[in-house]
Amino acid sequence: MNLGWLSKLSAVERKTFFAAFGGLALDSMDTTIYALVTPALIATLSLSRPDAGILASSSLIGTALGGWVAGIAADRFGRVRVLQFTILLVAVSTFAAAFADGFWYLLVARAVQGMGYGGEAAVGAVLVAEVVSAGMRGRVAAAIQSGYAVGNALSVALFPVIFGWLSQDMAWRVFFAIGILPALLVFFVRRFVPESAIFVEEKAQRAASPTHNFWTIFTGEHLFKTLVATFFTTGTLGAAYVMITWLPTYLQTGLHLPVTHTAGYLAVNIFGSFVGPIAFGLIADRIGRRKGFMLFLVCQALNVAVYTQAPIGQGITVILGFFLGALQAGLASGLMPTFAELFPTSIRANGAGFALSAGRGLGSIVPATVGILSTRMHLGDAMAICAICGYTAAFCAALLLPEQQGIDLRTMATGAASDGAERLPAEREVEHPNNIRNGVATQ
């Protein structure tokens, strides 16, 4: 059966893709549970809206720290080993949240969960970027982000079932307890997913070359790339977190939709989140990552403005919700493939992980800001102000973002300057998939 680019992947590439996709999907199920149960937490644990915003931000701060720490660890101990640990960390911390008795317990549980999720997302994306051929790297790595939609869909599908059968004060605890499921994926990764061959080769050469410290990403030619990528992530994800965190609450309290209708609206949004990364990967492979980012940023800013400010009916709300999810997920899907092409192998997970994680940490301030502003203005207005400001900042950063699509990661692995690294034509890689052996292209 011809499944497009999926059919052109080697066995190792497919296993690696499904491991990263499955990890993000199951971990995303855990992280999106919080947004769905926020109204229940406010009601049963006497949390305020600012408290809810701080809890959301605590997870994002944990995500920031976890992504960078996991990146540093992955450059030292290997991508696959660290990937297993981070998946397990998300599962255990989500399960622990089921026993929360107040704000401070949840604050710790959410922070730890964020650390695991940030690490899994960063390391999984770097692993795929190193294993998949240059000609297909963009679309395959971007497609991993569709796993977020799958995980979100699982949590939204379970939401009305659990809250329909159980009382509110018990339902959210059961919901969190289900979060232990991602731990099962560790067995698949451990058995079927090999280490990146590019990483293995680079590690073997370290004895004959200078050791790179974790602060190397802040020196020389790497500093500019690190700063621009971090600023771009801050604007993009800060704005995205506004909608991810507050959309369920906005639908219920701002548009006064019942829980059953909220699930339907979110289902359309989630379907868009599944389609968006696939679309972005195809578009970016054709016109370039930077132009693809700029196109999606402009469209998303306009979409958020209409969604939260215009007097639209239910039908238009559903349509805009689809594009809200598609554009949001599309933007997120391009981050790690782009950042992985900015750094050599010895600091790739470190540099890409920091850019993604620091941006998440700084962007995590934005949902808390919405919570504070919503005490003085309508929730929709607060969401629009914060989200549009974030997308505007990201657009400015995109103008400075280096375009290195299709770069040969093997050349970067030798320590050559990235600006002079060889780029492999996408057509050659796609037409000759047999040139790939265990994630390393041969000539």
Side-chain angles (χ1 to χ4, degrees):
M1 180 181 298
N2 191 339
L3 299 176
W5 55 258
L6 188 61
S7 297
K8 298 177 182 178
L9 299 179
S10 68
V12 170
E13 290 173 331
R14 276 195 296 270
K15 291 176 182 177
T16 304
F17 168 74
F18 283 124
F21 183 92
L24 186 63
L26 292 174
D27 285 355
S28 296
M29 180 190 75
D30 285 5
T31 58
T32 54
I33 287 174
Y34 175 76
L36 294 171
V37 303
T38 294
L41 294 175
I42 292 175
T44 61
L45 296 182
S46 300
L47 301 179
S48 64
R49 277 189 177 178
D51 287 339
I54 292 173
L55 287 173
S57 294
S58 70
S59 176
L60 299 177
I61 293 172
T63 299
L65 179 61
W68 189 25
V69 172
I72 295 173
D75 282 338
R76 182 178 179 85
F77 302 109
R79 284 59 164 126
V80 174
R81 183 181 301 179
V82 176
L83 180 64
Q84 295 176 61
F85 176 78
T86 54
I87 292 173
L88 188 61
L89 189 62
V90 172
V92 173
S93 58
T94 304
F95 179 79
F99 304 96
D101 57 358
F103 172 81
W104 293 107
Y105 185 107
L106 276 175
L107 187 70
V108 174
R110 292 287 297 166
V112 174
Q113 183 203 56
M115 292 180 65
Y117 181 75
E120 185 280 329
V123 176
V126 168
L127 176 63
V128 170
E130 290 183 342
V131 170
V132 176
S133 61
M136 300 181 67
R137 186 186 303 138
R139 71 199 75 175
V140 177
I144 294 174
Q145 187 63 31
S146 294
Y148 179 89
V150 174
N152 199 359
L154 289 173
S155 61
V156 170
L158 291 171
F159 177 56
V161 176
I162 295 175
F163 276 77
W165 283 91
L166 300 172
S167 62
Q168 183 174 243
D169 59 344
M170 179 60 68
W172 66 264
R173 296 183 184 276
V174 173
F175 215 171
F176 277 135
I178 293 174
I180 195 66
L181 291 177
L184 299 175
L185 183 65
V186 172
F187 296 102
F188 173 83
V189 176
R190 186 177 182 85
R191 181 178 177 86
F192 296 107
V193 180
E195 183 57 83
S196 159
I198 290 180
F199 170 79
V200 172
E201 290 181 355
E202 190 279 334
K203 185 177 180 180
Q205 296 171 359
R206 287 182 188 177
S209 62
T211 301
H212 293 284
N213 297 307
F214 72 88
W215 58 81
T216 303
I217 62 174
F218 304 112
T219 62
E221 63 176 317
H222 305 303
L223 177 60
F224 176 77
K225 297 176 182 179
T226 299
L227 294 178
V228 172
T230 299
F231 187 66
F232 179 77
T233 305
T234 300
T236 301
L237 295 188
Y241 291 149
V242 169
M243 308 308 294
I244 292 172
T245 302
W246 290 106
L247 183 59
T249 303
Y250 175 69
L251 292 175
Q252 293 181 44
T253 63
L255 300 183
H256 306 291
L257 295 176
V259 171
T260 53
H261 288 187
T262 299
Y265 277 79
L266 290 178
V268 175
N269 178 265
I270 291 168
F271 179 65
S273 298
F274 181 83
V275 174
I278 299 173
F280 181 86
L282 294 173
I283 292 173
D285 276 348
R286 180 173 293 273
I287 68 175
R289 311 241 200 274
R290 182 166 53 194
K291 291 181 180 179
F293 279 135
M294 295 169 70
L295 174 63
F296 273 52
L297 285 168
V298 171
C299 292
Q300 182 70 321
L302 294 173
N303 194 27
V304 169
V306 175
Y307 195 92
T308 59
Q309 301 300 302
I312 55 180
Q314 292 187 0
I316 299 299
T317 302
V318 172
I319 295 174
L320 292 180
F322 169 82
F323 287 103
L324 191 72
L327 294 168
Q328 181 173 278
L331 286 166
S333 72
L335 295 177
M336 285 304 289
T338 301
F339 299 163
E341 294 172 333
L342 299 181
F343 303 96
T345 303
S346 60
I347 59 171
R348 179 168 297 124
N350 177 8
F354 177 84
L356 183 67
S357 301
R360 277 176 169 160
L362 295 172
S364 68
I365 300 172
V366 185
T369 303
V370 172
I372 295 172
L373 291 178
S374 67
T375 63
R376 301 181 179 179
M377 64 177 66
H378 189 269
L379 178 59
D381 294 338
M383 292 169 63
I385 291 173
C386 292
I388 292 175
C389 286
Y391 290 128
T392 301
F395 186 89
C396 294
L399 296 174
L400 302 174
L401 192 67
E403 178 65 74
Q404 302 202 122
Q405 177 180 340
I407 197 169
D408 184 0
L409 297 185
R410 292 168 301 155
T411 303
M412 297 187 72
T414 65
S418 57
D419 290 339
E422 177 189 358
R423 283 172 173 76
L424 298 181
E427 294 80 4
R428 187 178 72 184
E429 294 293 337
V430 172
E431 292 176 0
H432 301 283
N434 291 330
N435 288 342
I436 309 302
R437 292 294 183 269
N438 296 327
V440 179
T442 58
Q443 294 189 11

